[in-house]
Amino acid sequence: LTEVYSSSPALGRYFRSAQVISFSNESSTVIYQLVFSVPPSTEGFMENSMNPDFIRNILRQNIYDED
């Protein structure tokens, strides 16, 4: 995750860290926390760049690109 987000053209400059919060072998589930340092309130920044779907899609695109 660190490599994916730190190299992202859209979020790389804001990305600070990724940490695993919980991991389950039984269900192959990982809960993680991403930390970003965002600029002072910028028009639409939180609604667009920090949108959970946008952040998730960056990871999804990276996975697709590897295949």
Side-chain angles (χ1 to χ4, degrees), residues 28-64:
S28 298
T29 302
V30 177
I31 298 173
Y32 55 90
Q33 176 183 20
L34 300 174
V35 177
F36 295 91
S37 176
V38 297
S41 184
T42 304
E43 185 71 29
F45 180 81
M46 292 303 290
E47 294 81 14
N48 298 313
S49 295
M50 291 290 112
N51 178 302
D53 289 331
F54 181 76
I55 294 171
R56 187 174 19 258
N57 285 336
I58 288 176
L59 177 59
R60 189 174 290 141
Q61 184 63 49
N62 182 269
I63 293 168
Y64 293 149

